[in-house]
């Protein structure tokens, strides 16, 4: 009975429509037209973990702030251990959403949580960690390729330099490029807030290591960015504040891509030089949308996938522009849509025999409700492409990571893969 009540309560809350005032769209229109400053310059200031001062627009300003977390307390005498000599880069820093969240949301007041089984059941520890997967996420596999340990969550570490010296994961499930994307789920750390957390980390490094050593470490480290899905899932496709009547998908995609470009410039201004930007996966194939659109044949929702294709095209263009504007930076774009569609098209070759139905969930395609109980999960996730409503299985993440690293199965990164990028910059 308690379980049924939980499901009912959750479904009611998850269905709430988040309304914003119409003034948001006037500000948004100005942003797209270039009349307002769309970038958020990094202000180095220890003690502020939530980013720049709120903008006047609820479209791009934070929803009510999460409860404060302890700020780093750097000490000039703090000791640190250098990264192992065998690592290809000193550190890996991760920015993003649930595709790469490794535990941030465990300490937030949100429904977007993966801190209970069966999440993590096939992970190295066989325990839930906050990863939205049955096992590892792509950055786990890439960390091993780079000779680094799994990257800890920013909100899960103790604020010592030793915790951060080999990388930090800032990703937060439910977050988006737009501040309010995903706010109906509860607390989350948006893109610009994560960028501010990055600046706080850099400040701590400078105080602990000295500016020259910290700048050198930052410039040689790798940044991995995977975000944007929630701006569709929890904003545009839900038609929050009637956004679809005001902006065609192409205009919305342009706005998101330009915002991403500005944030990457902010990272560059903070000495970041190596960046992997992940495109979006084919969300129209996700079990949730197959259920929502009452799909009968398991085929993807083309209308949604068309928007994702447009965003990825626009984002790749922005990366090419940045490669010209920021001559000493190495920025690559990896198209998760291309890699995912290759897996679906050749699923038998990859060892998958369940392509549309999630391993864990309820309803048709197990897409109605996300995974909240071990009893909802299939016995073998390795032959499934989808783990839950929106997230792929560990097996898919391994393939994606192989492609990002070396184009092992299919070429998805432009103008080069990660292995080649590191070789060029060494």
């Amino acid at each position: 009975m308690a379980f049924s009540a939980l499901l009912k309560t959750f479904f009611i809350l998850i269905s709430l429509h988040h309304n914003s005032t119409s003034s948001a769209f006037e500000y948004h229109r100005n942003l797209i037209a270039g009349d307002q400053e769309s970038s958020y310059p990094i202000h180095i200031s220890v003690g502020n973990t939530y980013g720049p001062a709120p903008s006047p627009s609820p479209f791009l300003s934070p929803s009510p702030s999460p409860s404060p977390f302890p700020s780093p307390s750097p000490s000039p005498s703090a000791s640190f251990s250098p990264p192992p000599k065998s690592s290809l880069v000193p550190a890996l820093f991760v920015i993003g959403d649930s595709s790469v969240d490794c535990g941030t949301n465990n300490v937030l007041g949100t429904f977007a949580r993966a801190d209970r089984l069966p999440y993590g059941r096939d992970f190295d520890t066989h325990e839930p960690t906050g990863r939205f997967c049955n096992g590892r996420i792509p950055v786990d596999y890439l960390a091993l390729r780079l000779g680094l340990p799994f990257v800890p969550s920013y909100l899960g570490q103790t604020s010592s330099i030793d915790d951060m010296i080999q990388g930090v994961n800032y990703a937060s499930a439910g977050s988006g490029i737009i501040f309010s994307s995903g706010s109906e789920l509860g607390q989350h750390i948006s893109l610009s807030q994560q960028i501010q957390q990055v600046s706080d980390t850099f400040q701590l490094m400078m105080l602990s290591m000295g500016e020259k050593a910290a700048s050198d470490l930052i410039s040689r480290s790798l940044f991995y960015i995977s975000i944007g899905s929630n701006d569709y899932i929890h904003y545009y496709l839900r038609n929050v504040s009637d956004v679809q009547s005001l902006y065609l998908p192409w205009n919305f995609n342009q706005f998101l891509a330009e915002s991403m470009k500005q944030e990457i410039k902010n990272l560059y201004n903070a000495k970041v030089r190596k960046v992997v930007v992940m495109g979006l996966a084919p969300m129209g194939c996700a079990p949730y949308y197959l259920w929502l659109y009452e799909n009968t044949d398991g085929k993807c929702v083309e209308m949604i996938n068309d928007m994702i294709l447009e965003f990825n095209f626009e984002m790749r263009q922005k990366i090419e522009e940045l490669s010209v504007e920021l001559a000493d930076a190495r920025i690559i774009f990896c198209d998760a849509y291309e890699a995912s569609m290759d897996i679906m098209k050749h699923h038998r070759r990859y060892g998958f025999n369940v392509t549309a139905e999630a391993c864990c969930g309820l309803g048709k395609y197990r897409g109605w409700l996300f995974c909240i109980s071990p009893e909802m999960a299939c016995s073998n996730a390795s032959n499934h492409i989808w783990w839950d409503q929106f997230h792929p299985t560990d097996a898919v993440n391994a393939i994606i990571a192989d492609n990002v690293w070396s184009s092992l199965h299919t070429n998805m990164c432009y103008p080069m893969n990660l292995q080649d990028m590191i070789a060029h910059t060494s």
Side-chain angles (χ1 to χ4, degrees), residues 55-132:
S55 97
S57 163
F59 190 83
L60 283 173
S61 61
S63 44
S65 297
S67 56
F69 297 95
S71 301
S73 301
S75 167
S77 61
S79 62
F80 64 91
S81 303
K85 293 182 179 179
S86 59
S87 63
L88 298 177
V89 294
L92 171 62
F93 295 92
V94 181
I95 294 170
D97 52 27
S98 60
S99 62
V100 285
D101 187 346
C102 71
T104 296
N105 281 31
N106 289 355
V107 295
L108 299 181
T110 175
F111 282 112
R113 303 172 73 91
D115 56 350
R116 288 182 173 84
L117 290 171
Y119 287 96
R121 71 176 194 187
D122 301 317
F123 188 66
D124 301 58
T125 61
H126 302 290
E127 296 288 339
T129 62
R131 289 166 171 80
F132 284 75

Side-chain angles (χ1 to χ4, degrees), residues 92 99-100 136-146 150 222 224 276 278 332 334-336 339-340 343 350 392-413 416-420 422:
L92 171 62
S99 62
V100 285
R136 296 177 181 178
I137 51 179
V139 289
D140 293 329
Y141 288 104
L142 290 176
L144 296 178
R145 293 282 194 177
L146 295 167
F150 293 165
L222 177 68
Y224 183 101
V276 172
M278 291 298 294
I332 62 176
C334 295
D335 195 330
S340 299
I343 292 171
Y350 286 108
T393 57
D394 172 287
V396 171
N397 287 336
I399 296 168
I400 297 295
D402 282 340
N403 289 334
V404 172
W405 175 249
S406 64
S407 307
L408 180 62
H409 307 285
T410 187
N411 182 29
M412 63 177 286
C413 297
M416 65 189 74
N417 58 48
L418 178 55
Q419 187 177 36
D420 290 340
I422 291 175

Side-chain angles (χ1 to χ4, degrees), residues 266-289:
N266 288 337
L267 290 172
Y268 176 86
N269 292 335
K271 308 300 183 183
V272 172
R273 293 297 181 268
K274 295 184 178 74
V275 184
V276 172
V277 179
M278 291 298 294
L280 303 184
M283 289 184 299
C285 305
Y288 172 78
Y289 287 115

Side-chain angles (χ1 to χ4, degrees), residues 39-40 47 84 88 90 96 101 139 144 164 174 188 216 260-261 278 281 284 295 341 350-351 388 392 401:
S39 62
Y40 292 66
L88 298 177
D101 187 346
V139 289
L144 296 178
M164 302 178 178
H188 64 276
D216 178 67
M260 279 282 286
K261 179 181 177 181
M278 291 298 294
N295 191 303
M341 294 306 289
Y350 286 108
D388 63 13

Side-chain angles (χ1 to χ4, degrees), residues 59-255:
F59 190 83
L60 283 173
S61 61
S63 44
S65 297
S67 56
F69 297 95
S71 301
S73 301
S75 167
S77 61
S79 62
F80 64 91
S81 303
K85 293 182 179 179
S86 59
S87 63
L88 298 177
V89 294
L92 171 62
F93 295 92
V94 181
I95 294 170
D97 52 27
S98 60
S99 62
V100 285
D101 187 346
C102 71
T104 296
N105 281 31
N106 289 355
V107 295
L108 299 181
T110 175
F111 282 112
R113 303 172 73 91
D115 56 350
R116 288 182 173 84
L117 290 171
Y119 287 96
R121 71 176 194 187
D122 301 317
F123 188 66
D124 301 58
T125 61
H126 302 290
E127 296 288 339
T129 62
R131 289 166 171 80
F132 284 75
C133 186
N134 61 304
R136 296 177 181 178
I137 51 179
V139 289
D140 293 329
Y141 288 104
L142 290 176
L144 296 178
R145 293 282 194 177
L146 295 167
L148 295 169
F150 293 165
V151 182
S153 166
Y154 176 78
L155 296 184
Q157 44 80 30
T158 61
S159 300
S160 74
I161 192 66
D162 282 324
D163 288 334
M164 302 178 178
I165 197 68
Q166 290 182 278
V168 183
N169 188 324
Y170 307 90
S172 173
S175 65
I177 299 169
I178 297 170
F179 252 115
S180 57
S181 293
S183 60
E184 79 278 6
L185 296 175
Q187 295 175 334
H188 64 276
I189 314 298
S190 69
L191 174 61
S192 60
Q193 290 171 326
Q194 291 180 43
I195 298 293
Q196 184 60 45
Q197 290 178 338
V198 170
S199 76
D200 292 341
T201 302
F202 290 177
Q203 177 67 58
L204 179 59
M205 287 181 171
M206 290 177 184
L207 293 174
S208 301
M209 303 167 59
E211 184 173 350
K212 183 177 180 180
S215 295
D216 178 67
L217 183 145
I218 293 164
S219 66
R220 292 189 297 115
S221 295
L222 177 68
F223 275 72
Y224 183 101
I225 305 175
S226 178
I227 199 167
S229 294
N230 291 311
D231 297 294
Y232 297 89
I233 296 171
H234 296 292
Y235 203 94
Y236 194 83
L237 292 174
R238 290 180 63 245
N239 200 23
V240 172
S241 300
D242 202 27
V243 63
Q244 294 178 16
S245 68
L246 295 169
Y247 301 101
L248 295 173
W250 179 245
N251 301 120
F252 189 70
N253 290 331
Q254 287 180 310
F255 171 73

